[in-house]
């Protein structure tokens, strides 16, 4: 158990809908990262939050947004869903200490858009 | 340009044998960290081993070792005495910069199958 909790584990929804994925980082970790893993794109970095503030953006679509709350949990909002958004969405957290800082991953949320 | 390249989409190894999974990277930053993660069929990402760009010795963690060749920009993962439970996807990743603030960039992964 990595200590990072993601809910829900599975989500099936229709095209055009909006969903929210939730992540609770490890206790004490201020940094939260969101990744998308799809068959054709591999593991793509989406966005990073640090202590409530957006720190870095990767390949995140405009239809997607995220936030990190004062209690450090984070949510990833996906809207106007398309079939191609079907993927495994990971949240990871880390302590920003030094270069040797592995990211601990949650179990992922498997999103299926039908 | 790809920052992390894993050229082996799939590998087979016999149980109890050693296997090397290749990883090359591209960065102009003198400070960086290299990570290997394992993803079993259940989907979770499990951290295996880390190598820093300034580390003089190759990293080792149990049956895992990292063959770090800085001049060649390669960071190959060596798994000794393979076990059936080692069958999984393996990802090489890099963080650039001298702090832990940046996100990891991942390679495309190598699927390892251990045969009895």
């Amino acid at each position: 158990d990595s200590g990072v909790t993601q809910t829900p584990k599975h989500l099936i929804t229709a095209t055009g809908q909006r969903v929210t994925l939730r992540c609770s980082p490890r206790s004490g970790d201020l940094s939260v990262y969101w990744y998308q893993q799809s068959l054709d794109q591999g593991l793509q970095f989406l966005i990073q939050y640090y202590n409530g503030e957006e720190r870095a953006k990767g390949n995140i679509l405009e239809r997607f947004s995220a936030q990190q709350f004062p209690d450090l949990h984070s949510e990833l909002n996906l809207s106007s869903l398309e079939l191609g958004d079907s993927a495994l969405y990971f949240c990871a957290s880390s302590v920003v200490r030094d270069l040797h800082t592995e990211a601990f991953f949650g179990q992922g949320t498997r999103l299926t858009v039908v | 340009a790809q920052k992390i390249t894993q050229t082996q989409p799939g590998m087979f190894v016999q149980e109890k044998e050693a296997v090397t999974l290749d990883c090359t990277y591209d960065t102009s930053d003198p400070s960086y960290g290299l990570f290997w993660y394992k993803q079993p069929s259940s989907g979770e990402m499990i951290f295996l081993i880390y190598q820093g760009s300034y580390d003089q010795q190759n990293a080792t963690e149990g049956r895992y070792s990292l063959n770090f060749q800085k001049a060649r920009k390669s960071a190959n993962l060596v798994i000794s005495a393979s076990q059936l439970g080692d069958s999984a996807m393996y990802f090489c990743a890099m963080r650039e910069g001298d702090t832990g603030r940046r996100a990891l960039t991942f390679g495309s992964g190598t699927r390892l199958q251990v045969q009895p």
Side-chain angles (χ1 to χ4, degrees), chain A residues 12-51:
Chain A
I12 301 175
T13 191
T15 55
Q17 296 297 306
R18 173 189 168 95
V19 297
T20 297
L21 313 184
R22 184 188 167 101
C23 168
S24 293
R26 291 191 323 154
S27 176
D29 286 359
L30 300 181
S31 222
V32 168
Y33 311 83
W34 286 96
Y35 288 85
Q36 178 194 57
Q37 185 179 28
S38 58
L39 284 175
D40 56 345
Q41 295 287 335
L43 263 162
Q44 298 281 318
F45 166 63
L46 295 179
I47 196 163
Q48 176 196 358
Y49 278 82
Y50 176 74
N51 202 18

Side-chain angles (χ1 to χ4, degrees), chain A residues 2 31 33 35 37 42-43 45 48 50 55-56 88 90 94-107 110, chain B residues 31-33 35 37 39 42-45 47 50 52-53 91 95-108:
Chain A
S2 68
S31 222
Y33 311 83
Y35 288 85
Q37 185 179 28
L43 263 162
F45 166 63
Q48 176 196 358
Y50 176 74
R55 174 59 61 93
L88 187 55
F90 282 108
S94 68
V95 172
V96 176
R97 186 174 56 238
D98 55 32
L99 191 58
H100 178 176
T101 302
E102 69 263 33
F104 293 88
F105 281 76
Q107 298 267 19
R110 186 167 297 281
Chain B
S31 297
Y32 53 88
F35 302 77
Y37 281 82
Q39 186 179 37
S42 51
E44 72 268 31
M45 295 287 286
F47 166 72
Y50 163 84
S53 60
F91 292 94
R95 174 186 283 124
E96 295 168 282
D98 56 2
T99 71
R101 292 198 176 121
R102 298 192 191 175
L104 297 176
T105 301
F106 285 85
S108 56

